[in-house]
Amino acid sequence: MRIVITGAAGFLGSHLVERFLKEGHSVVGIDNFKTGTPKNLAPFRSSPRFKFIRQDVTEYIHVPGRVDAVMHFASPASPIDYAKYPIPTLKVGALGTHNALGLAKKRKARFMIASTSEIYGDPLVSPQREDYWGNVNPIGPRGVYDEAKRFAEAMTMAYHRYHGVDVRILRIFNTYGPRMRKQDGRAVPNFISQALKNAPITVYGKGGQTRSLCYVTDLVEGIVRLLMSKVNEPVNIGNPHEITILELAQTIKRLTGSKSKIVFEPLPVDDPKVRRPDITRARTLLGWKPVVPLEEGLRSTIAYFRGR
Ligand code: UDP
């Protein structure tokens, strides 16, 4: 296949590029390096099956030649990034999704939107199933990301229903692994970089809020299966193993052998109290489930951060 990936220089984008090239596909990567980094693509630049276009996908996307799939992964994805770039976040989810869908429609390619567990907001039910509509504050600091992704899902379904585009809606839950940025701001990279420097580990609130963390190779396997499936409705991909943020901090402290103190800082506005995917749909429709246990994934991620 010839696959277009927006956000190719990001954490997930670059893992997808790697996976598809390894399987013999051709990839056209697009990125504007707002939150992605050229370093993530360095190993692939010499491949004759990899082409790179530097552009902002909120502008018209022109990809000459055959295209079999368009995967729209471009977006700031960390709360500190979407606080820093609120308008680009809204635009890439709205205008960027529209352009990426337009490309898929023109080339008769299948389309995948990287959606998110954030569309469930601060959920009132747990675990979250795909038929839960969510509890989102549209005007809070996270609203720019949550609402852009909700709009992106609506736009994707509209192109499916109205134009007959063959779509995939992927709802990604918290994911971690190598190629996350040290200064990414999310819990795993923050805690690991703090622990490796023996600096205070900053737990927000009392640390009783939960997340369910998926290792990147598991996520990529789920994404590939969804892309290759015929499933047009949304599918949660994530690891249902739920832990508190305080437990996460303690685990990272132990695995790094750090002398860091765990300190408590104010909880950000609208920080979801719980998050856990119901993955029944992924299990039954894609035959997928995560296989990398948390400590194993954290060890590989810690090794990557040590190397940096
Ligand atoms: N968090 C924390 N300390 C940090 C970074 C994050 O306690 O240095 C908390 C954050 O408040 C949230 C959880 O960890 O409750 C996960 O945050 P992250 O930014 O990784 O992703 P989110 O799931 O909130 O988008």
Side-chain angles (χ1 to χ4, degrees):
M1 286 172 78
R2 185 157 185 265
I3 302 168
V4 173
I5 302 175
T6 75
F11 164 52
L12 293 180
S14 66
H15 281 278
L16 289 169
V17 172
E18 180 175 7
R19 169 77 185 245
F20 288 124
L21 289 178
K22 218 177 256 170
E23 287 183 1
H25 299 289
S26 296
V27 176
V28 179
I30 305 180
D31 210 294
N32 63 355
F33 300 132
K34 198 176 256 315
T35 55
T37 150
K39 254 193 219 140
N40 284 344
L41 292 176
F44 319 119
R45 290 302 274 267
S46 58
S47 163
R49 282 183 284 108
F50 181 65
K51 180 177 152 58
F52 182 72
I53 302 171
R54 181 173 183 168
Q55 83 155 85
D56 181 334
V57 293
T58 63
E59 308 289 338
Y60 184 87
I61 308 169
H62 179 63
V63 179
R66 192 187 103 209
V67 175
D68 302 297
V70 177
M71 304 176 76
H72 184 38
F73 277 68
S75 177
S78 163
I80 60 161
D81 287 331
Y82 39 88
K84 193 164 154 201
Y85 302 117
I87 295 165
T89 300
L90 281 160
K91 286 175 72 179
V92 75
L95 308 179
T97 302
H98 188 211
N99 289 336
L101 276 161
L103 174 66
K105 174 175 154 251
K106 185 159 88 184
R107 297 275 183 258
K108 299 187 173 26
R110 70 185 73 162
F111 176 81
M112 176 182 276
I113 179 70
S115 186
T116 166
S117 54
E118 282 283 324
I119 65 114
Y120 301 120
D122 188 4
L124 304 177
V125 300
S126 201
Q128 292 80 53
R129 280 174 26 158
E130 290 88 346
D131 56 8
Y132 176 53
W133 292 349
N135 177 41
V136 172
N137 174 5
I139 58 165
R142 303 173 86 104
V144 294
Y145 183 66
D146 302 8
E147 296 296 0
K149 292 293 190 181
R150 291 171 70 96
F151 176 93
E153 288 199 10
M155 183 63 109
T156 299
M157 279 316 286
Y159 266 66
H160 176 59
R161 294 194 180 111
Y162 189 78
H163 289 305
V165 174
D166 186 17
V167 301
R168 310 287 181 276
I169 299 175
L170 160 75
R171 292 189 182 151
I172 302 170
F173 282 66
N174 295 65
T175 302
Y176 68 99
R179 297 202 201 117
M180 286 184 107
R181 292 165 303 153
K182 267 198 309 235
Q183 70 291 9
D184 172 280
R186 282 178 283 192
V188 170
N190 266 14
F191 292 172
I192 294 179
S193 13
Q194 292 162 343
L196 291 178
K197 288 187 288 198
N198 293 312
I201 298 179
T202 55
V203 167
Y204 301 155
K206 294 190 179 124
Q209 69 273 36
T210 69
R211 293 294 185 273
S212 309
L213 298 163
C214 187
Y215 189 62
V216 65
T217 52
D218 278 337
L219 192 91
V220 165
E221 179 60 31
I223 294 174
V224 171
R225 287 189 189 210
L226 178 60
L227 184 74
M228 300 307 172
S229 77
K230 295 198 180 312
V231 181
N232 295 131
E233 66 256 44
V235 180
N236 291 337
I237 301 284
N239 192 321
H241 177 73
E242 184 181 23
I243 59 164
T244 68
I245 292 302
L246 182 57
E247 283 175 280
L248 175 67
Q250 288 161 340
T251 307
I252 288 174
K253 182 174 147 119
R254 174 167 55 80
L255 295 178
T256 48
S258 173
K259 294 190 185 66
S260 294
K261 274 205 187 74
I262 294 179
V263 299
F264 295 90
E265 292 190 353
L267 191 65
V269 176
D270 295 338
D271 199 285
K273 289 179 268 311
V274 295
R275 181 180 288 154
R276 178 176 183 224
D278 181 316
I279 59 164
T280 309
R281 224 180 242 186
R283 271 182 205 277
T284 53
L285 300 179
L286 311 176
W288 175 85
K289 65 173 180 2
V291 295
V292 180
L294 181 64
E295 291 205 6
E296 190 185 317
L298 285 176
R299 279 182 214 282
S300 313
T301 312
I302 290 165
Y304 170 82
F305 276 81
R306 271 193 212 281
R308 309 281 296 184

